[in-house]
Amino acid sequence: MRLRALLETDALGLRLLGGEDELDRTVRGVMTTDLRDPSRYLTGGELVLTGLAWRRDAADSEPFVRILAGAGVAGLAAGEAEMGAIPADLVEACTRHRLPLFAVTEAVAFATITEHVVRQVSGERAGDLAAVVDRHRRLMTSGPAGGGPEVVLDLLTSDLDLRAWVLSPTGRQIAGAGAPLPATVSATLAGEHLAAVRTGRRGPHRTTLQGTTYSLFPIRGAGRGASQVAASRDVRETVLSDWLLAVEADAGDWPAARLDLLQGVTQLIAVERDRRDAARTVRRRLAQEVLELVQAGAPPAEIAARLRVAAPVLLPGLGSAPHWQVVVARVDWNEGEEIPAGPVAQSLLEEILVDPMVVGSDTSDRIAVAHAGDEAIALVPLAAVSSIGGDGADADSEGDGEARMLGLHADVLLEAVRAPLSGGLADDGRLTLGVSAAVNSAEGLRGALEEARHARRVAAARPGRVCAAGHHELASHVLLLPFVPDDVRRAFTARLLDPLRDYDRRHRAELVPTLEAFLDCDGSWTRCAARLHLHVNTLRYRVGRIEQLTGRDLSRLEDKLDFFLALRMS
């Protein structure tokens, strides 16, 4: 049962004082206490009833509420019989800790509330408990060793009629029972989950998409230690790498036993995730060795030898050395100097570089990602020259061009993951990536690394939570524009464009769109007039007005360039 149901029961005499957004919390039991520290008797999910005898002064409210929130209680109900009105300091403390607070009228005994809650919870458990216990036992004996997450999810479907999917932070499907989720739905679910985790809300998180309700359970690696250790860590250390279990059901009214069952399922799947992470150790070590050689300026022959070791691991059965691309990623937090950014970026980059349409946790492990300081650096193998450009000596140049076409592109790379990852980055995090061109030799690897780092810095100079830049932007004005100081940028664009914008607002003359089209047509009167559906004389009048308002001459290359840059920076 949920807190909302208790509030709507008039006979209980509850009045809500705070926490309206948390009324969908599940109540698993009830406890009455006036101890200053009742934590040893709390297991989570309780409605705590108190007569406020523990409170001596206003300073007592904060530690009491902090203890309850830390124990995961569902809500607090304070009786009015002892003190009349509920103290304001208690209301404020509950608001700070997002703990729903109710006032209980003195006309209603705590025993009445206790009896009601116990009767409701016991009734829900009675019809379900035996089945849940049996399912739990079967699931615990049919874990990843017996076939991976799919075995567990199939049991959920066959025995409990629950459709479920395991999703990565980017929304890619790791496992599922039955038909896969549409890509847009899975990406949205991942984003909703990441946003909920960042706000500190307790799972499962529930959301409704296209008329269907989903409950989202976090899957935290079993190898990361006990829950006490996980609770002590900053959530930003894991939020961008943890998987989630999406269940097509509303878990808000589930009894505690069924919720415990799903928690057991997440633990089983966490074992599979830890096994996957362990399998990536070899690839990470290979990438780290190559990176250290490149940064140390090792001879190309030594780097090439290490790459020959890496190629069969990343692309089994490959007949010849592949081309390589380098991708550099960095995660920055506004106030997170103590958070080790390198491992966070490493785990995230390993997921981003996987084709979003690939299902599973093994088939996609063909990328070696290392981290150096706050950066994650990926060595991405492309298809071999001989398999693309043909056989013989002439294949190198032809194959190189084709390999570039088949390589990663920065704008495409983040298209499928930008929305969900923005939820995990919230308002205090940024992800920036840089992508190099393809190289086909050890000699080119150091240049590719520097190219990817430069591209990442270009991305970092742009606005937005998730940004990427590619090597093709490093030979363009695009490389320079992001590094122009904001005050210089504003002054430059205002001097050239503000007179035109003011004129457009007063006269609806569309001088700015005309200027953009004129420059895009390389100053061709006929092509620009045709694009804007204007007579050439009308176009000449508008361009003359632009020159008159700005004092510039659009027949001069220097003035055309100034207008072009002003439009790009505006």
Side-chain angles (χ1 to χ4, degrees):
M1 67 178 305
R2 286 183 280 187
L3 287 174
R4 189 181 305 279
L6 294 176
L7 184 63
E8 293 170 353
T9 305
D10 295 336
L12 300 183
L14 297 177
R15 187 173 75 257
L16 183 65
L17 300 181
E20 184 175 2
D21 293 337
E22 304 292 330
L23 289 180
D24 286 328
R25 291 186 179 186
T26 300
V27 179
R28 304 180 187 178
V30 63
M31 175 190 176
T32 300
T33 186
D34 277 312
L35 295 173
R36 296 167 65 86
D37 181 4
S39 58
R40 68 176 69 97
Y41 305 111
L42 298 171
T43 60
E46 299 93 342
L47 173 67
V48 174
L49 307 176
T50 181
L52 301 178
W54 50 267
R55 183 184 179 278
R56 297 188 181 91
D57 55 46
D60 292 334
S61 293
E62 169 63 23
F64 181 80
V65 173
R66 185 171 60 248
I67 289 170
L68 298 187
V73 304
L76 174 64
E80 295 178 328
E82 181 73 20
M83 304 181 65
I86 304 303
D89 49 271
L90 181 60
V91 177
E92 293 169 0
C94 288
T95 299
R96 279 194 299 272
H97 291 277
R98 303 173 64 91
L99 182 66
L101 175 63
F102 303 89
V104 183
T105 178
E106 60 181 313
V108 175
F110 283 175
T112 301
I113 300 174
T114 300
E115 183 177 335
H116 178 84
V117 173
V118 170
R119 186 169 59 248
Q120 293 294 321
V121 172
S122 298
E124 290 172 345
R125 288 179 177 174
D128 200 40
L129 185 56
V132 167
V133 170
D134 181 61
R135 304 304 188 265
H136 196 184
R137 177 187 59 78
R138 291 174 57 191
L139 287 173
M140 293 302 290
T141 58
S142 304
E150 289 80 3
V151 171
V152 181
L153 300 184
D154 286 342
L155 279 176
L156 286 179
T157 300
S158 62
D159 290 6
L160 298 182
D161 196 27
L162 292 175
R163 298 179 66 210
W165 302 265
V166 178
L167 305 178
S168 78
T170 65
R172 186 176 68 87
Q173 182 172 312
I174 305 295
L181 286 171
T184 54
V185 172
S186 59
T188 302
L189 291 178
E192 293 280 348
H193 173 74
L194 291 175
V197 171
R198 285 304 312 276
T199 60
R201 285 189 280 143
R202 298 178 65 236
H205 314 300
R206 301 191 308 282
T207 187
T208 300
L209 297 177
Q210 302 174 4
T212 302
T213 299
Y214 300 89
S215 296
L216 311 176
F217 295 80
I219 299 173
R220 298 187 174 92
R224 299 187 180 185
S227 58
Q228 296 174 343
V229 175
S232 66
R233 302 177 69 176
D234 191 312
V235 68
R236 292 174 293 182
E237 292 188 49
T238 59
V239 66
L240 296 177
S241 59
D242 282 339
W243 291 353
L244 68 134
L245 177 67
V247 181
E248 190 180 280
D250 186 347
D253 291 323
W254 284 3
R258 181 167 288 226
L259 288 172
D260 290 343
L261 170 65
L262 266 294
Q263 293 298 338
V265 169
T266 64
Q267 292 168 11
L268 291 173
I269 298 172
V271 174
E272 167 68 11
R273 204 277 297 275
D274 287 342
R275 185 195 64 77
R276 187 284 315 262
D277 286 346
R280 285 185 171 177
T281 302
V282 174
R283 286 178 286 275
R284 289 175 173 178
R285 186 172 66 249
L286 287 172
Q288 198 72 41
E289 291 173 353
V290 173
L291 175 62
E292 290 172 357
L293 290 174
V294 171
Q295 292 183 318
E302 186 176 354
I303 299 175
R306 191 68 63 181
L307 287 175
R308 284 195 294 272
V309 173
V313 175
L314 300 177
L315 292 174
L318 192 67
S320 58
H323 288 62
W324 300 89
Q325 272 185 291
V326 177
V327 181
V328 174
R330 179 170 174 143
V331 175
D332 293 289
W333 306 102
N334 293 348
E335 297 178 359
E337 294 81 2
E338 72 287 353
I339 299 175
V344 175
Q346 182 183 42
S347 296
L348 186 56
L349 186 55
E350 286 173 335
E351 179 59 37
I352 289 175
L353 293 177
V354 174
D355 184 339
M357 301 309 295
V358 172
V359 176
S361 59
D362 290 327
T363 57
S364 58
D365 284 333
R366 298 294 180 265
I367 297 154
V369 183
H371 70 84
D374 291 336
E375 287 182 335
I377 302 169
L379 295 174
V380 183
L382 304 179
V385 171
S386 59
S387 66
I388 299 176
D391 299 323
D394 294 338
D396 281 348
S397 59
E398 184 180 347
D400 183 64
E402 185 69 14
R404 290 174 188 271
M405 289 174 51
L406 295 177
L408 300 171
H409 295 270
D411 51 349
V412 177
L413 196 60
L414 294 186
E415 182 178 351
V417 302
R418 179 178 283 108
L421 291 182
S422 296
L425 294 164
D427 295 327
D428 61 345
R430 291 197 74 206
L431 168 66
T432 51
L433 281 89
V435 182
S436 79
V439 296
N440 63 352
S441 67
E443 290 88 345
L445 204 55
R446 186 167 188 175
L449 175 58
E450 290 306 313
E451 192 173 58
R453 281 176 166 161
H454 281 305
R456 193 207 64 78
R457 285 192 283 270
V458 170
R462 295 171 175 168
R465 290 289 163 201
V466 181
C467 297
H471 59 92
H472 61 281
E473 300 180 61
L474 302 184
S476 160
H477 66 279
V478 176
L479 173 63
L480 302 177
L481 295 186
F483 299 100
V484 177
D486 288 342
D487 54 346
V488 175
R489 182 193 302 258
R490 286 192 294 269
F492 182 75
T493 57
R495 187 162 55 248
L496 281 174
L497 301 182
D498 279 2
L500 307 183
R501 290 166 175 159
D502 292 340
Y503 191 88
D504 283 347
R505 279 194 294 270
R506 293 196 306 270
H507 303 283
R508 298 181 180 180
E510 297 188 352
L511 294 184
V512 173
T514 300
L515 175 62
E516 291 177 319
F518 186 73
L519 295 176
D520 194 43
C521 292
D522 298 323
S524 169
W525 295 100
T526 53
R527 282 195 288 128
C528 184
R531 174 181 293 191
L532 296 176
H533 305 289
L534 298 175
H535 192 277
V536 172
N537 288 341
T538 303
L539 176 61
R540 291 185 184 277
Y541 172 80
R542 288 188 182 181
V543 171
R545 178 64 68 183
I546 292 171
E547 294 174 332
Q548 181 184 21
L549 291 170
T550 61
R552 299 300 185 104
D553 182 356
L554 278 169
S555 65
R556 299 178 66 247
L557 176 61
E558 293 87 345
D559 288 341
K560 287 181 181 178
L561 180 59
D562 284 347
F563 277 123
F564 174 79
L565 293 175
L567 290 168
R568 282 300 183 97
M569 290 191 295
S570 63

